[in-house]
Amino acid sequence: MQPIHDLAATLMRRSDELAAHTEEPGKITRRYGTPALAEVMGIVEGWMRDAGMQTRRDAIGNLFGLLAGPSDDCPRLMLGGHLDSVRDAGRYDGVLGVLSAIATVEVLRDREEPLPFAIEVVAFADEEGVRFHSLYLGSWSAIGALPPGLLDATDADGITVRQAIRDWGFDPEGALEGSLAECEYIGFVEAHIEQGPRLEVAGIPVGVVSGIVGTRRAHLDVYGTAGHAGTVPMADRHDALVATSEIILAIDEGGRSHENAVATVGEIAVRPGASNVITGGARISLDLRHPDGAVVDELYDEIRTRSAAIAARWKVDIAWRTGQKVEAMSCDDALSGALAAAVEAAGHEPVRLFSGAGHDAVAMSRVMPTTMLFTRCKGGISHNPAESIASEDAAATIDVLVRFVDAMAAMHGR
């Protein structure tokens, strides 16, 4: 059996290798359905097979690897993450969950005493939703909960989800049906970088996630009147960008006015976009998050009311295009307890953390017990090329996962 520190060094090298496969040279960008993501899926599938797993792809392109158990219909414990990325991403978000799961299988494969269940490793094809503004596209499909209407959503080039699935060589109609095995699932555990500074501040390499925030997204279109920058008096203008700027500030103020809430405008586009033309139209994105879904709804309604008042004052029109809404999720108590015990057995304080970011665990919790393990990341930075973890923390992640699997094996009769 390879020492865990050697497996961690391999994980770090593999992360670097995957980072070289990107849509944008010099940046890490892998959106759903792109050649860059297909290349990474192929490489990871090879590593799964080298680790002794049987592999398959489902109707949307998710990748599964199976370390067989004592029988074909025995229970399964699922580990994993995702391989798509945001634009100009770091190299560990999502990837850590997949590679640490493969490393865990490499430890378990060499054991003389078999597990009483199978280990299934999943690499979801789209968690970030960058291309279609669709949260958890891969995991919603895997559990059979992908909304049929989402197949008609389009990317910036007008390509639908349906067409993107087909162009990638998969089956859009089959993507609605679900792809998990017809067997008992003990649970799903997702290892992930923390994406925050709390573990680093505490001096602890790993932590157990207690729950995940609720999220609500939208796009706002503001319609004014374009005109010549030199001839339209200030008093007569209906400037969409000026009104939108005030709406953005109102969104920021809304997020600050609710404890533990965050409100973000991450996209803005203006029309016609010329230096000597008053802006006739603007579009912004809205992302709201809070541990309590009721607070998310309250903040959403407050922002709508304030935005309407701002639009009226500037004599512009506003239209809302509502995006996905995902309810807050609490991790499974029993599974989280076992994970915390594994953290403690590895010699670390078993801290509990709430996640302000969304994860595939949200979708998976609909159909099986689910929890997450956070890994310390430098400065709490993520969704950024500066995203970084230490090899020792990767080793701690693998160590805890192996201890967790052993504990679950003991509970299930090994």
Side-chain angles (χ1 to χ4, degrees):
M1 182 178 73
Q2 291 188 67
I4 284 179
H5 281 282
D6 289 349
L7 291 170
T10 298
L11 184 153
M12 302 298 282
R13 289 195 300 271
R14 286 175 169 178
S15 297
D16 290 341
E17 180 177 344
L18 297 184
H21 296 269
T22 175
E23 299 173 54
E24 302 178 282
K27 300 178 180 180
I28 301 173
T29 303
R30 291 191 300 268
R31 298 173 301 153
Y32 176 78
T34 60
L37 185 57
E39 292 165 6
V40 162
M41 286 284 186
I43 292 168
V44 171
E45 185 169 18
W47 292 336
M48 286 180 173
R49 290 174 177 168
D50 291 344
M53 288 182 270
Q54 301 170 340
T55 63
R56 65 182 176 93
R57 302 290 293 275
D58 69 8
I60 204 167
N62 296 318
L63 169 64
F64 296 86
L66 183 68
L67 182 67
S71 65
D72 291 341
D73 60 351
C74 70
R76 297 185 184 188
L77 177 64
M78 180 177 280
L79 310 172
H82 64 92
L83 294 176
D84 65 307
S85 79
V86 297
R87 292 185 182 277
D88 198 13
R91 62 192 60 203
Y92 301 105
D93 182 345
V95 169
L96 176 66
V98 178
L99 297 187
S100 61
I102 293 174
T104 300
V105 166
E106 289 174 326
V107 174
L108 300 170
R109 173 200 61 194
D110 296 331
R111 296 276 186 83
E112 291 185 5
E113 189 175 5
L115 294 169
F117 47 74
I119 300 289
E120 190 167 24
V121 175
V122 61
F124 290 113
D126 187 349
E127 185 259 12
E128 300 289 2
V130 172
R131 184 173 179 184
F132 296 102
H133 301 286
S134 53
L135 291 170
Y136 320 137
L137 186 68
S139 49
W140 283 135
S141 173
I143 68 171
L146 192 68
L150 191 55
L151 293 179
D152 297 318
T154 59
D155 65 8
D157 298 317
I159 298 172
T160 64
V161 173
R162 185 189 311 276
Q163 188 61 47
I165 295 172
R166 189 176 291 118
D167 289 347
W168 218 34
F170 297 99
D171 176 14
E173 301 306 322
L176 301 174
E177 297 175 2
S179 58
L180 299 182
E182 293 184 2
C183 66
E184 175 194 351
Y185 276 91
I186 295 168
F188 173 65
V189 181
E190 181 176 2
H192 202 284
I193 58 170
E194 182 196 352
Q195 300 180 280
R198 293 165 294 180
L199 289 172
E200 186 176 63
V201 170
I204 300 170
V206 292
V208 178
V209 179
S210 57
I212 300 173
V213 293
T215 303
R216 194 163 183 178
R217 290 180 172 180
H219 279 88
L220 288 67
D221 286 298
V222 179
Y223 302 98
T225 303
H228 196 291
T231 62
V232 180
M234 297 300 291
D236 295 336
R237 296 186 177 198
H238 306 285
D239 191 321
L241 184 54
V242 172
T244 301
S245 299
E246 190 171 334
I247 290 170
I248 292 172
L249 291 175
I251 290 169
D252 186 78
E253 291 168 4
R256 295 175 189 277
S257 68
H258 292 70
E259 186 177 4
N260 295 322
V262 288
T264 305
V265 175
E267 299 176 353
I268 183 168
V270 299
R271 301 182 303 276
S275 62
N276 62 344
V277 180
I278 299 164
T279 300
R283 167 175 286 188
I284 59 173
S285 63
L286 172 64
D287 185 305
L288 302 178
R289 304 182 189 216
H290 190 275
D292 185 341
V295 176
V296 174
D297 291 340
E298 178 185 343
L299 180 55
Y300 184 85
D301 291 340
E302 288 176 6
I303 290 171
R304 288 200 69 151
T305 299
R306 289 194 64 183
S307 298
I310 292 167
R313 187 167 65 254
W314 288 103
K315 298 180 181 179
V316 299
D317 295 319
I318 185 170
W320 285 67
R321 185 157 62 93
T322 301
Q324 279 186 293
K325 177 182 177 182
V326 179
E327 298 296 340
M329 165 257 190
S330 295
C331 291
D332 181 76
D333 287 340
L335 218 58
S336 297
L339 190 60
V343 170
E344 190 168 21
H348 313 298
E349 182 183 350
V351 298
R352 302 288 183 112
L353 306 169
F354 208 92
S355 176
H359 302 282
D360 287 307
V362 172
M364 301 308 292
S365 69
R366 297 280 191 93
V367 297
M368 68 181 71
T370 299
T371 192
M372 293 187 67
L373 180 69
F374 270 170
T375 301
R376 173 171 53 189
C377 59
K378 186 176 180 180
I381 296 171
S382 72
H383 285 190
N384 185 306
E387 186 177 281
S388 177
I389 66 170
S391 183
E392 308 87 74
D393 292 352
T397 302
I398 299 166
D399 184 27
V400 168
L401 289 176
V402 171
R403 292 173 185 272
F404 169 78
V405 173
D406 283 341
M408 297 305 292
M411 291 171 58
H412 285 80
R414 185 168 71 178

